Amino acid sequence: MKSTPTMKDIADELGITVMSVSKALSGKEGVSEDLRKKIFAKAEEIGYKKGSSFKEATRNIGILVTEKALNASPSLMSIQQSLISQLFQVDYYGLTEIISDEAEHLMLEPKLVKDRKIDAFIILGQMEDSYLKMLKNIKLPFISMTFIFDDETDGSILCDNLYFGENITQYLFDKGYKSIGFIGNRLFSTTIMDRFLGYHKALIKNGAKLNEDFVIPNVNEYGEEIGLFLPDDLPEAFVCTDCRVAYKLIHQLEGMDYVIPEDFSIVAFDDGIYGDFGIPKITTYSIDYDEMAQMAAESIVVKLQDPRVKLGKKILYGKVIERESVIEKK
């Protein structure tokens, strides 16, 4: 039996993106009038009908993020703000709900879902597996951001954190550093684990051994900040899991009468507000979170308009932003 035509079938037939099909069929800007006519003609030709398994009621999209994820990853707040802006651009409203540690532990359904305030939701940042399974069983369209939900669930917007970790660590090796530490709790989330694995990969490629004394956690298992317990024998440079951690490390080292970057070079991820907040300004691996939010907003709208569409996993890349926290090793 032939399957029901989807927007992806139209896109494949015309050699365009699903998002272009979605914009044309919903009367949005972003496609030429000529292409819009071709899309409507193809839709009629193959017998496409807009998915009707879910009826929009609110034009609200939930943004679900846990309290502990926000505490541990300041960048999630920036992504959340961009998401609200990008959803507004596609005529939807983003409503954020912060899932408390208690709610996550007790498996309490998000209030936005319980009160029927949203048509779909975006999971921002990692959560406990049991809570994610509960969310998966809610009969609403959803996608995930910054992590892979599971191998079966469709629709994830990701960063290639393993590559990021390798790239920024290699940057330090290329500057002449041989002894490099990592600041971050690799067991807290897949994002930090992947960055750590990229860091470790760069060590292996450059013939350097992993020194566990140089792997220093910044948060506990609940995402709460803890002190940075530095070893007596310090590395020459540090890779920090985000700019806030790098900022904290710089101040701790300066309190020990060290000078950055003359005594230690420091790099970080995410290019957040702390990146150019202090002195020295921090060299970071920057990710375009506005682009990430745009991809997520467009993807969840496609899911709403046609739940049968398979979005797959979309990967976002970034680049090193050089500032003042790294110098060539003498």
PDB file of all heavy atoms in Angstrom, residues 119-140:
ATOM      1  N   ASP A 119       0.985  24.142  21.711  1.00  0.00           N
ATOM      2  CA  ASP A 119       0.685  23.214  20.622  1.00  0.00           C
ATOM      3  C   ASP A 119       1.813  22.207  20.407  1.00  0.00           C
ATOM      4  O   ASP A 119       1.605  21.158  19.791  1.00  0.00           O
ATOM      5  CB  ASP A 119       0.483  23.986  19.312  1.00  0.00           C
ATOM      6  CG  ASP A 119      -0.713  24.921  19.375  1.00  0.00           C
ATOM      7  OD1 ASP A 119      -1.655  24.609  20.124  1.00  0.00           O
ATOM      8  OD2 ASP A 119      -0.687  25.955  18.684  1.00  0.00           O
ATOM      9  N   ALA A 120       3.018  22.565  20.832  1.00  0.00           N
ATOM     10  CA  ALA A 120       4.197  21.718  20.638  1.00  0.00           C
ATOM     11  C   ALA A 120       5.250  22.199  21.630  1.00  0.00           C
ATOM     12  O   ALA A 120       5.051  23.208  22.317  1.00  0.00           O
ATOM     13  CB  ALA A 120       4.715  21.828  19.204  1.00  0.00           C
ATOM     14  N   PHE A 121       6.370  21.491  21.717  1.00  0.00           N
ATOM     15  CA  PHE A 121       7.405  21.946  22.637  1.00  0.00           C
ATOM     16  C   PHE A 121       8.802  21.608  22.126  1.00  0.00           C
ATOM     17  O   PHE A 121       8.989  20.702  21.302  1.00  0.00           O
ATOM     18  CB  PHE A 121       7.199  21.389  24.053  1.00  0.00           C
ATOM     19  CG  PHE A 121       7.193  19.893  24.173  1.00  0.00           C
ATOM     20  CD1 PHE A 121       8.360  19.175  24.433  1.00  0.00           C
ATOM     21  CD2 PHE A 121       6.002  19.182  24.063  1.00  0.00           C
ATOM     22  CE1 PHE A 121       8.347  17.805  24.569  1.00  0.00           C
ATOM     23  CE2 PHE A 121       5.981  17.794  24.194  1.00  0.00           C
ATOM     24  CZ  PHE A 121       7.156  17.101  24.450  1.00  0.00           C
ATOM     25  N   ILE A 122       9.753  22.379  22.628  1.00  0.00           N
ATOM     26  CA  ILE A 122      11.172  22.184  22.322  1.00  0.00           C
ATOM     27  C   ILE A 122      11.880  21.849  23.638  1.00  0.00           C
ATOM     28  O   ILE A 122      11.751  22.595  24.616  1.00  0.00           O
ATOM     29  CB  ILE A 122      11.779  23.451  21.698  1.00  0.00           C
ATOM     30  CG1 ILE A 122      11.098  23.764  20.364  1.00  0.00           C
ATOM     31  CG2 ILE A 122      13.299  23.287  21.497  1.00  0.00           C
ATOM     32  CD1 ILE A 122      11.464  25.135  19.792  1.00  0.00           C
ATOM     33  N   ILE A 123      12.604  20.750  23.660  1.00  0.00           N
ATOM     34  CA  ILE A 123      13.371  20.377  24.847  1.00  0.00           C
ATOM     35  C   ILE A 123      14.753  20.994  24.701  1.00  0.00           C
ATOM     36  O   ILE A 123      15.514  20.648  23.796  1.00  0.00           O
ATOM     37  CB  ILE A 123      13.486  18.845  24.988  1.00  0.00           C
ATOM     38  CG1 ILE A 123      12.101  18.202  25.023  1.00  0.00           C
ATOM     39  CG2 ILE A 123      14.269  18.481  26.248  1.00  0.00           C
ATOM     40  CD1 ILE A 123      12.142  16.680  24.968  1.00  0.00           C
ATOM     41  N   LEU A 124      15.086  21.909  25.591  1.00  0.00           N
ATOM     42  CA  LEU A 124      16.342  22.647  25.519  1.00  0.00           C
ATOM     43  C   LEU A 124      17.295  22.133  26.593  1.00  0.00           C
ATOM     44  O   LEU A 124      17.071  22.352  27.785  1.00  0.00           O
ATOM     45  CB  LEU A 124      16.081  24.143  25.699  1.00  0.00           C
ATOM     46  CG  LEU A 124      17.290  25.070  25.710  1.00  0.00           C
ATOM     47  CD1 LEU A 124      18.089  24.930  24.414  1.00  0.00           C
ATOM     48  CD2 LEU A 124      16.846  26.509  25.911  1.00  0.00           C
ATOM     49  N   GLY A 125      18.343  21.465  26.175  1.00  0.00           N
ATOM     50  CA  GLY A 125      19.306  20.941  27.138  1.00  0.00           C
ATOM     51  C   GLY A 125      18.894  19.576  27.656  1.00  0.00           C
ATOM     52  O   GLY A 125      17.733  19.166  27.581  1.00  0.00           O
ATOM     53  N   GLN A 126      19.861  18.875  28.208  1.00  0.00           N
ATOM     54  CA  GLN A 126      19.644  17.498  28.637  1.00  0.00           C
ATOM     55  C   GLN A 126      18.813  17.412  29.907  1.00  0.00           C
ATOM     56  O   GLN A 126      18.837  18.305  30.761  1.00  0.00           O
ATOM     57  CB  GLN A 126      20.987  16.796  28.856  1.00  0.00           C
ATOM     58  CG  GLN A 126      20.879  15.283  28.858  1.00  0.00           C
ATOM     59  CD  GLN A 126      22.229  14.635  28.625  1.00  0.00           C
ATOM     60  OE1 GLN A 126      23.144  15.253  28.110  1.00  0.00           O
ATOM     61  NE2 GLN A 126      22.353  13.388  29.010  1.00  0.00           N
ATOM     62  N   MET A 127      18.062  16.300  30.026  1.00  0.00           N
ATOM     63  CA  MET A 127      17.259  16.004  31.201  1.00  0.00           C
ATOM     64  C   MET A 127      17.515  14.556  31.596  1.00  0.00           C
ATOM     65  O   MET A 127      18.159  13.807  30.877  1.00  0.00           O
ATOM     66  CB  MET A 127      15.767  16.212  30.908  1.00  0.00           C
ATOM     67  CG  MET A 127      15.394  17.620  30.476  1.00  0.00           C
ATOM     68  SD  MET A 127      13.633  17.762  30.093  1.00  0.00           S
ATOM     69  CE  MET A 127      13.506  19.517  29.718  1.00  0.00           C
ATOM     70  N   GLU A 128      16.956  14.163  32.736  1.00  0.00           N
ATOM     71  CA  GLU A 128      17.051  12.770  33.156  1.00  0.00           C
ATOM     72  C   GLU A 128      16.331  11.884  32.139  1.00  0.00           C
ATOM     73  O   GLU A 128      15.277  12.263  31.607  1.00  0.00           O
ATOM     74  CB  GLU A 128      16.428  12.581  34.537  1.00  0.00           C
ATOM     75  CG  GLU A 128      17.158  13.297  35.670  1.00  0.00           C
ATOM     76  CD  GLU A 128      18.535  12.711  35.941  1.00  0.00           C
ATOM     77  OE1 GLU A 128      18.769  11.539  35.584  1.00  0.00           O
ATOM     78  OE2 GLU A 128      19.377  13.428  36.498  1.00  0.00           O
ATOM     79  N   ASP A 129      16.891  10.695  31.869  1.00  0.00           N
ATOM     80  CA  ASP A 129      16.302   9.801  30.868  1.00  0.00           C
ATOM     81  C   ASP A 129      14.841   9.478  31.166  1.00  0.00           C
ATOM     82  O   ASP A 129      14.008   9.428  30.256  1.00  0.00           O
ATOM     83  CB  ASP A 129      17.109   8.503  30.791  1.00  0.00           C
ATOM     84  CG  ASP A 129      18.476   8.701  30.150  1.00  0.00           C
ATOM     85  OD1 ASP A 129      18.685   9.753  29.515  1.00  0.00           O
ATOM     86  OD2 ASP A 129      19.337   7.810  30.287  1.00  0.00           O
ATOM     87  N   SER A 130      14.524   9.257  32.445  1.00  0.00           N
ATOM     88  CA  SER A 130      13.153   8.901  32.814  1.00  0.00           C
ATOM     89  C   SER A 130      12.184  10.048  32.505  1.00  0.00           C
ATOM     90  O   SER A 130      11.056   9.827  32.043  1.00  0.00           O
ATOM     91  CB  SER A 130      13.077   8.529  34.303  1.00  0.00           C
ATOM     92  OG  SER A 130      13.588   9.575  35.102  1.00  0.00           O
ATOM     93  N   TYR A 131      12.645  11.285  32.712  1.00  0.00           N
ATOM     94  CA  TYR A 131      11.785  12.432  32.434  1.00  0.00           C
ATOM     95  C   TYR A 131      11.608  12.616  30.927  1.00  0.00           C
ATOM     96  O   TYR A 131      10.513  12.945  30.446  1.00  0.00           O
ATOM     97  CB  TYR A 131      12.361  13.699  33.064  1.00  0.00           C
ATOM     98  CG  TYR A 131      11.349  14.809  33.212  1.00  0.00           C
ATOM     99  CD1 TYR A 131      10.433  14.800  34.258  1.00  0.00           C
ATOM    100  CD2 TYR A 131      11.293  15.859  32.298  1.00  0.00           C
ATOM    101  CE1 TYR A 131       9.490  15.812  34.393  1.00  0.00           C
ATOM    102  CE2 TYR A 131      10.354  16.868  32.417  1.00  0.00           C
ATOM    103  CZ  TYR A 131       9.445  16.839  33.470  1.00  0.00           C
ATOM    104  OH  TYR A 131       8.507  17.834  33.592  1.00  0.00           O
ATOM    105  N   LEU A 132      12.675  12.374  30.183  1.00  0.00           N
ATOM    106  CA  LEU A 132      12.588  12.472  28.730  1.00  0.00           C
ATOM    107  C   LEU A 132      11.599  11.449  28.166  1.00  0.00           C
ATOM    108  O   LEU A 132      10.834  11.753  27.244  1.00  0.00           O
ATOM    109  CB  LEU A 132      13.972  12.253  28.111  1.00  0.00           C
ATOM    110  CG  LEU A 132      14.974  13.396  28.276  1.00  0.00           C
ATOM    111  CD1 LEU A 132      16.352  12.957  27.815  1.00  0.00           C
ATOM    112  CD2 LEU A 132      14.527  14.633  27.506  1.00  0.00           C
ATOM    113  N   LYS A 133      11.600  10.248  28.728  1.00  0.00           N
ATOM    114  CA  LYS A 133      10.666   9.213  28.266  1.00  0.00           C
ATOM    115  C   LYS A 133       9.230   9.641  28.546  1.00  0.00           C
ATOM    116  O   LYS A 133       8.325   9.377  27.748  1.00  0.00           O
ATOM    117  CB  LYS A 133      10.980   7.893  28.953  1.00  0.00           C
ATOM    118  CG  LYS A 133      12.268   7.243  28.468  1.00  0.00           C
ATOM    119  CD  LYS A 133      12.592   5.963  29.223  1.00  0.00           C
ATOM    120  CE  LYS A 133      13.911   5.375  28.742  1.00  0.00           C
ATOM    121  NZ  LYS A 133      14.285   4.160  29.517  1.00  0.00           N
ATOM    122  N   MET A 134       9.006  10.283  29.685  1.00  0.00           N
ATOM    123  CA  MET A 134       7.673  10.779  30.003  1.00  0.00           C
ATOM    124  C   MET A 134       7.242  11.845  28.994  1.00  0.00           C
ATOM    125  O   MET A 134       6.116  11.831  28.493  1.00  0.00           O
ATOM    126  CB  MET A 134       7.654  11.337  31.424  1.00  0.00           C
ATOM    127  CG  MET A 134       6.269  11.789  31.903  1.00  0.00           C
ATOM    128  SD  MET A 134       5.953  13.539  31.589  1.00  0.00           S
ATOM    129  CE  MET A 134       6.998  14.284  32.849  1.00  0.00           C
ATOM    130  N   LEU A 135       8.167  12.757  28.651  1.00  0.00           N
ATOM    131  CA  LEU A 135       7.846  13.799  27.679  1.00  0.00           C
ATOM    132  C   LEU A 135       7.545  13.196  26.303  1.00  0.00           C
ATOM    133  O   LEU A 135       6.666  13.686  25.576  1.00  0.00           O
ATOM    134  CB  LEU A 135       9.003  14.792  27.569  1.00  0.00           C
ATOM    135  CG  LEU A 135       9.272  15.690  28.781  1.00  0.00           C
ATOM    136  CD1 LEU A 135      10.478  16.582  28.507  1.00  0.00           C
ATOM    137  CD2 LEU A 135       8.054  16.537  29.129  1.00  0.00           C
ATOM    138  N   LYS A 136       8.276  12.152  25.974  1.00  0.00           N
ATOM    139  CA  LYS A 136       8.092  11.509  24.669  1.00  0.00           C
ATOM    140  C   LYS A 136       6.686  10.947  24.512  1.00  0.00           C
ATOM    141  O   LYS A 136       6.137  10.904  23.402  1.00  0.00           O
ATOM    142  CB  LYS A 136       9.136  10.406  24.483  1.00  0.00           C
ATOM    143  CG  LYS A 136       9.102   9.732  23.134  1.00  0.00           C
ATOM    144  CD  LYS A 136      10.220   8.700  23.015  1.00  0.00           C
ATOM    145  CE  LYS A 136      10.180   7.997  21.663  1.00  0.00           C
ATOM    146  NZ  LYS A 136      11.265   6.989  21.536  1.00  0.00           N
ATOM    147  N   ASN A 137       6.092  10.547  25.620  1.00  0.00           N
ATOM    148  CA  ASN A 137       4.755   9.941  25.570  1.00  0.00           C
ATOM    149  C   ASN A 137       3.627  10.969  25.536  1.00  0.00           C
ATOM    150  O   ASN A 137       2.467  10.612  25.385  1.00  0.00           O
ATOM    151  CB  ASN A 137       4.564   9.011  26.773  1.00  0.00           C
ATOM    152  CG  ASN A 137       5.418   7.756  26.663  1.00  0.00           C
ATOM    153  OD1 ASN A 137       5.661   7.268  25.564  1.00  0.00           O
ATOM    154  ND2 ASN A 137       5.881   7.245  27.790  1.00  0.00           N
ATOM    155  N   ILE A 138       3.979  12.253  25.686  1.00  0.00           N
ATOM    156  CA  ILE A 138       2.973  13.303  25.555  1.00  0.00           C
ATOM    157  C   ILE A 138       2.599  13.435  24.080  1.00  0.00           C
ATOM    158  O   ILE A 138       3.461  13.474  23.215  1.00  0.00           O
ATOM    159  CB  ILE A 138       3.511  14.646  26.095  1.00  0.00           C
ATOM    160  CG1 ILE A 138       3.742  14.541  27.610  1.00  0.00           C
ATOM    161  CG2 ILE A 138       2.543  15.787  25.783  1.00  0.00           C
ATOM    162  CD1 ILE A 138       4.440  15.751  28.193  1.00  0.00           C
ATOM    163  N   LYS A 139       1.340  13.504  23.798  1.00  0.00           N
ATOM    164  CA  LYS A 139       0.874  13.506  22.405  1.00  0.00           C
ATOM    165  C   LYS A 139       0.931  14.906  21.790  1.00  0.00           C
ATOM    166  O   LYS A 139      -0.068  15.474  21.347  1.00  0.00           O
ATOM    167  CB  LYS A 139      -0.547  12.930  22.327  1.00  0.00           C
ATOM    168  CG  LYS A 139      -0.689  11.531  22.871  1.00  0.00           C
ATOM    169  CD  LYS A 139       0.241  10.556  22.149  1.00  0.00           C
ATOM    170  CE  LYS A 139       0.072   9.133  22.681  1.00  0.00           C
ATOM    171  NZ  LYS A 139       1.026   8.199  22.020  1.00  0.00           N
ATOM    172  N   LEU A 140       2.148  15.455  21.779  1.00  0.00           N
ATOM    173  CA  LEU A 140       2.384  16.734  21.128  1.00  0.00           C
ATOM    174  C   LEU A 140       3.652  16.641  20.296  1.00  0.00           C
ATOM    175  O   LEU A 140       4.590  15.925  20.676  1.00  0.00           O
ATOM    176  CB  LEU A 140       2.555  17.848  22.168  1.00  0.00           C
ATOM    177  CG  LEU A 140       1.339  18.302  22.989  1.00  0.00           C
ATOM    178  CD1 LEU A 140       1.757  19.352  24.007  1.00  0.00           C
ATOM    179  CD2 LEU A 140       0.230  18.825  22.100  1.00  0.00           C
TER     180      LEU A 140
END
